[in-house]
Amino acid sequence: MSHNLVLLKPISEEDANALLPIWSDAAVTKWTRYPILHSLAEAKTRIKQLEQTMHTSRYTIRQHNNQAIIGTCGFKRLNFLHETGEIEFELGSAFWRQGFMTAALQELLHIGFDRLQLNRLEVKVNADNIASQRLVRRAGFRQEGTIRQGRKWEGQFQDVLLFSLLHSEFRS
């Protein structure tokens, strides 16, 4: 899959207009388990929170050909002492299953392992999110276990699967 399908750029407040339709789409928020946003002000607030949260680094996913923002991805819980981080991502539902997230994830892994010099990256995927499980497995992540009732969404506790990828595995 071609990496030049997408471009990752650090998120900024100017991206709020483009991200609101994604962050207000129930088909997307169902998998992220973040609250649906309803206004531009809420989108700007979320971006500010992402920018100001320690040990977090978030990027917009843009289509390479026209620079249109189609999602976000990035790192949270970056720990440079132990060289670890956790990945999060979401993609506008109109762009699912077209290779965009596969390309974005590869780009993000290069940033994590090459630029940030991390040794271990984790991703937590809802147990019912089969598409994201396939995505991270194809990228080389291994399932380590189940975080029982690790997320609460719409009043229900839900299991989360923990996946990891090591720098040595990414190279091979």
Side-chain angles (χ1 to χ4, degrees), residues 8-90:
L8 301 188
K9 281 193 174 165
I11 200 167
S12 72
E13 211 176 312
E14 298 85 75
D15 303 327
N17 267 316
L19 289 170
L20 182 59
I22 298 167
W23 288 346
S24 62
D25 180 353
V28 174
T29 59
K30 172 185 188 209
W31 300 122
T32 64
R33 305 303 202 244
Y34 285 111
I36 292 178
L37 299 190
H38 302 286
S39 70
L40 196 57
E42 287 178 330
K44 287 181 177 175
T45 299
R46 180 172 293 172
I47 290 169
K48 268 197 208 104
Q49 288 168 338
L50 286 167
E51 288 178 318
Q52 292 167 359
T53 303
M54 291 284 293
H55 312 296
T56 297
S57 147
R58 196 76 166 209
Y59 304 89
T60 54
I61 303 169
R62 296 166 184 258
Q63 279 183 287
H64 200 275
N65 58 358
N66 63 8
Q67 303 290 293
I69 293 174
I70 60 173
T72 78
C73 62
F75 305 101
K76 66 179 193 175
R77 295 193 185 95
L78 285 168
N79 184 321
F80 293 105
L81 175 66
H82 298 296
E83 299 175 17
T84 62
E86 184 181 331
I87 287 178
E88 282 189 326
F89 51 82
E90 83 278 330

Side-chain angles (χ1 to χ4, degrees), residues 144-166:
E144 290 191 348
T146 302
I147 302 165
R148 298 180 308 136
Q149 298 187 5
R151 288 188 182 153
K152 189 176 185 181
W153 189 66
E154 293 186 340
Q156 300 292 313
F157 288 105
Q158 299 175 329
D159 291 348
V160 179
L161 307 181
L162 174 64
F163 292 87
S164 70
L165 182 66
L166 303 179

